[in-house]
Amino acid sequence: MQVQLETLGALERRLNITLPMADIDAQVAQRLQRVARTAKVQGFRPGKAPLKIVEQNYGAQVREDVLGEEVQKSFAKAIQEQKIDIAGYPRFEPFDNQTATGESFTFSAVFEVYPEVTVGDLSGQEIAKATCDVTEAEIDKTIDILRKQRTRFNHAERAAQAGDRVTIDFKGTIDGEAFAGGSADNYSFVLGEGQMLPEFETGVTGMSEGETKDVPLNFPEDYHGKDVAGKQAVFAITLKNVAEPQLPEVDADFAKNLGVTDGDVAKMRDEISKNVTREAKRRLQARVKEGVMQALLDVTPIELPKSLIDMEIGRLMQQAREDMMQRGYGAQMKDMPLPRELFEEQAKRRVSLGLILAEVVEKHSLSATPEQVKAFITEQAESYENPQEVIDWYYASPERLDGPASVVLEDNVVAFVLSQAKVNEQAVPFEELMGNN
């Protein structure tokens, strides 16, 4: 076998491989003899046709099969001998087995190689590290949110006010004409939550059960309904029911409702504290991880193999389709083309980070240790009712440890980068961190 490597671009290569035809012819002859033992040829019993006849009937296909297998085997051997690290899949230039005659057979494979990755100097990078203290005040706020989520509404014999759930009939008109989507019966919403336009809610506020009145309303210019955007409408509104909110007391029943079987309120607060602290930690880690990844990208210019970008775009497109199908949009997504441009930047970022992280992990020995993986799984299991069952599930199958190991590996990279860069700690309000603003 003769091998010649050509450089076509920064990452693109062509490998020209020449094989002796004598070896190929010998393999073809051996395979034809095996085929002849069972070959069905018209006019002969199975396996009794002369080899010449078998060759006439099966020779072309057998030769094509042998050539295809030899192309794959010789290519794999060549890249191993040449110590070539291929990115993506090779493109074999078409060959015609009818031309594979004479003393040799030559084919070419075009492919990309992985780029050399050199991580730049991180000492000049500034990374914001968010901090947030979870105090008793934050636990109280969380309990208030949980109470509001379990609000009950009781009928009220008074005028509607902010916080009430009202049930109304309404009919909207523009210039005296009804319009699509402008009418509804027995429609319920909570005043003050912004579900309806401010002028609409202001008009309902102060109404009493059984009252009817006309409420003028100006639709904003940027209103999502283009047919009515910027127009003035009048809504005839009839208030049918007023219900005032009643928050549950923080007592044994409330604790039981949150899963504390014995109704111990102190135990409930402790569980909430653990859960909130765990979630705050996760969000803080996600923020600093994003800063670390951006810092690595900023100091590491890298030439990306087009084949890896294409593969990543394909994965992202498939994920998008599966996500839409899970949301119930399968029928619409079935034949709808997804523009590749929507995924290109994300794909480039993910490919870049994959290459950079691999280099950092290898160079600084940052792979996850079994002890780190076990500690991570144990911590995650604490949020479940039976932590040991969760731990046992992970360790029941080795491949289940891949996910936790990947997270730990990234955490190791984050810790390493933070040790090299300038870290600015920034206190973040609890509400901002948890997205409750």
Side-chain angles (χ1 to χ4, degrees):
M1 181 176 71
Q2 297 177 3
V3 178
Q4 179 190 22
L5 181 63
E6 297 180 47
T7 299
L8 304 181
L11 300 177
E12 195 173 27
R13 305 287 186 270
R14 175 188 283 119
L15 201 59
N16 301 311
I17 300 176
T18 300
L19 304 174
M21 278 304 303
D23 293 346
I24 295 174
D25 290 340
Q27 289 190 54
V28 171
Q30 290 176 0
R31 189 166 300 189
L32 279 172
Q33 287 180 345
R34 291 199 299 270
V35 171
R37 296 170 190 165
T38 56
K40 295 180 180 180
V41 179
Q42 188 173 4
F44 299 92
R45 286 182 296 168
K48 297 301 181 179
L51 186 60
K52 191 71 174 176
I53 301 298
V54 172
E55 184 176 3
Q56 290 175 358
N57 284 270
Y58 296 95
Q61 183 61 52
V62 167
R63 179 170 290 273
E64 185 172 342
D65 291 343
V66 169
L67 285 172
E69 292 173 9
E70 282 302 302
V71 163
Q72 296 291 337
K73 287 194 300 183
S74 58
F75 175 74
K77 182 180 179 181
I79 61 173
Q80 185 177 12
E81 291 177 349
Q82 296 281 324
K83 297 180 180 179
I84 301 171
D85 196 8
I86 293 183
Y89 298 103
R91 183 183 77 253
F92 293 103
E93 294 188 344
F95 63 87
D96 183 353
N97 65 354
Q98 299 299 324
T99 65
T101 57
E103 297 183 357
S104 63
F105 166 64
T106 300
F107 70 93
S108 299
V110 178
F111 52 88
E112 290 178 293
V113 297
Y114 280 93
E116 291 187 11
V117 179
T118 303
V119 179
D121 182 13
L122 289 162
S123 62
Q125 294 294 303
E126 293 189 9
I127 299 175
K129 185 178 181 181
T131 62
C132 181
D133 294 328
V134 179
T135 66
E136 289 300 312
E138 277 67 52
I139 304 306
D140 290 337
K141 292 175 184 176
T142 302
I143 290 176
D144 285 341
I145 293 172
L146 293 170
R147 292 178 69 200
K148 290 177 181 177
Q149 291 173 349
R150 290 158 178 78
T151 298
R152 293 182 178 179
F153 289 91
N154 300 321
H155 181 255
E157 296 286 349
R158 57 168 173 76
Q161 62 187 33
D164 288 344
R165 186 183 67 193
V166 295
T167 302
I168 62 174
D169 293 343
F170 65 89
K171 181 178 180 180
T173 58
I174 296 177
D175 296 331
E177 298 292 332
F179 57 91
S183 302
D185 291 332
N186 295 317
Y187 186 83
S188 297
F189 67 97
V190 177
L191 284 171
E193 290 191 348
Q195 185 177 348
M196 309 297 282
L197 289 172
E199 292 175 69
F200 193 98
E201 292 201 3
T202 299
V204 175
T205 302
M207 291 181 65
S208 299
E209 192 171 298
E211 181 182 352
T212 298
K213 76 173 183 179
D214 291 341
V215 175
L217 181 149
N218 294 300
F219 283 103
E221 293 290 344
D222 58 353
Y223 190 69
H224 60 82
K226 295 182 180 180
D227 292 340
V228 297
K231 296 181 180 179
Q232 185 178 52
V234 175
F235 284 90
I237 300 175
T238 299
L239 182 61
K240 303 180 73 174
N241 182 267
V242 178
E244 62 184 2
Q246 180 181 3
L247 272 63
E249 296 294 330
V250 182
D251 54 16
D253 289 338
F254 183 71
K256 289 178 182 179
N257 187 260
L258 290 178
V260 180
T261 54
D262 60 4
D264 189 325
V265 174
K267 188 183 295 184
M268 176 200 72
R269 286 186 66 91
D270 185 56
E271 288 296 319
I272 291 174
S273 178
K274 289 179 181 178
N275 291 335
V276 171
T277 301
R278 188 181 299 112
E279 178 62 17
K281 179 183 177 182
R282 185 190 69 79
R283 296 191 182 203
L284 290 170
Q285 288 175 331
R287 285 193 176 202
V288 73
K289 182 180 292 186
E290 179 65 22
V292 164
M293 297 305 167
Q294 189 58 52
L296 287 170
L297 288 169
D298 290 342
V299 302
T300 313
I302 184 172
E303 181 85 18
L304 297 178
K306 296 182 179 64
S307 55
L308 295 187
I309 296 173
D310 289 340
M311 290 168 62
E312 189 60 34
I313 289 175
R315 276 193 287 266
L316 291 172
M317 292 173 69
Q318 182 61 29
Q319 288 174 7
R321 289 187 182 279
E322 291 175 358
D323 181 62
M324 293 298 288
M325 291 179 69
Q326 289 176 0
R327 294 171 182 266
Y329 298 104
Q332 297 94 314
M333 292 298 297
K334 182 179 179 181
D335 300 316
M336 182 183 296
L338 292 175
R340 289 171 55 86
E341 296 77 18
L342 292 178
F343 305 93
E344 188 169 359
E345 288 305 313
Q346 185 183 1
K348 288 180 178 178
R349 180 181 175 85
R350 291 179 64 162
V351 171
S352 296
L353 284 174
L355 296 173
I356 294 171
L357 292 181
E359 173 64 19
V360 173
V361 169
E362 181 179 1
K363 185 175 181 179
H364 301 282
S365 302
L366 300 177
S367 295
T369 66
E371 293 77 17
Q372 288 178 314
V373 173
K374 184 176 181 179
F376 175 82
I377 291 174
T378 301
E379 181 182 1
Q380 298 302 304
E382 289 178 358
S383 61
Y384 292 85
E385 185 175 352
N386 192 328
Q388 191 57 47
E389 284 186 1
V390 177
I391 295 171
D392 292 342
W393 180 85
Y394 273 108
Y395 281 94
S397 181
E399 61 268 16
R400 292 175 182 171
L401 300 176
D402 291 344
S406 177
V407 175
V408 171
L409 182 148
E410 288 191 358
D411 289 342
N412 288 346
V413 172
V414 169
F416 168 76
V417 174
L418 291 179
S419 72
Q420 304 294 308
K422 298 175 182 177
V423 179
N424 297 324
E425 290 196 356
Q426 298 178 355
V428 177
F430 179 77
E431 290 81 1
E432 178 185 330
L433 179 66
M434 306 303 286
N436 295 332
N437 281 348

